[in-house]
Amino acid sequence: MAKPVVFVLDPYHEDAVALLQSTEWVDLVLPSDPRRASWHRDADGVILRSETRLTADDFAAAAKLRIVVKQGVGVDNIDLDAARRAGVAVHNTPALNSEAVAEFSLALAFSLARRVAEVDRRVRAGEAVRRSETLGLSLFRKTVGVVGMGNIGRVAARKWIGACEASVVGYDPVAPADAWSDLPHRRVATLPELLEVSDVVTLHVPLLPSTRGMIGAKELAAMKDNAILVNAARGGVVDEKALLEELKKGRLWGAVLDAMEVEPPTLEAYGDGLLAMDNVIMTPHIGASTRENQSNSGIAVVKTLLAVLEGKADVPGKLV
């Protein structure tokens, strides 16, 4: 019997690749292999990250494809309806990125509040920085509004409480009523209620029709003076044009974005806009990019793929 052919379409951690290479009953095709171009014809299974998009045309052309596994939670780069029509199972790795992304969302907020990136740029440019004229913003015992009460939001809330004794306000229209029953927090029924009381607004929602542009001009205007906006979720959740206009008014402390409409962020897209603002930090969607997390989540992807190819039931992370 021919071995199932597994294509790795995007770069994966060496530990995940080593696990695949040690699995003798699969035929492995890595991104550097010239055979990669033939994945539509030959693939029984595919693993990918955010770099590769799978469209309806891809699924229509994938003659043998049985399983796609995406590292991470978000699957907006995969046409799930097309996968369903083609009879292809799609899995992700929920919860595994939570610690890393939550940790990074706090790091971004602290960096902006204490003006770390701004001051570093000024020092590197040879500027004499006067401490008395470079005051930061303390986040100790402030109110943190967490939008999205899923796995990442939960971990972020816990970290804010532990690090800053923060008062946490949660908002999520679809989370169950008993969500976060183990965490001290106040849950609000509407987004405006959260925005008007939060010193930090941190976003942890997927990109859906209901969340696209959920932070627009109206919502930004409702935020407190000197508030910080953190988007470590998905580009498109924040209306970037509206954010730039609000930041130009000088009322907000600033914004930190690890997710944006153009990824990775470029000077062409943002050089005259958000990247020209001292109170903006932009990073190229690296919230989950720790050595530990990439190893753990990459191995989880491979184990999921192999389990499906072996015909096991109740494999975690199934979306389609």
Side-chain angles (χ1 to χ4, degrees), residues 14-51:
E14 59 186 14
D15 293 344
V17 174
L19 178 56
L20 277 171
Q21 289 172 328
S22 68
T23 305
E24 296 181 353
W25 55 269
V26 301
D27 182 7
L28 176 62
V29 181
L30 296 175
S32 59
D33 192 316
R35 292 185 294 163
R36 183 193 185 282
S38 66
W39 80 262
H40 293 92
R41 183 190 67 200
D42 297 331
D44 294 283
V46 160
I47 67 174
L48 72 162
R49 297 177 57 173
S50 297
E51 289 91 334

Side-chain angles (χ1 to χ4, degrees), residues 171-192:
Y171 168 71
D172 191 322
V174 299
D178 61 349
W180 296 8
S181 58
D182 58 332
L183 286 177
H185 75 285
R186 178 168 70 92
R187 184 168 180 176
V188 294
T190 66
L191 182 58

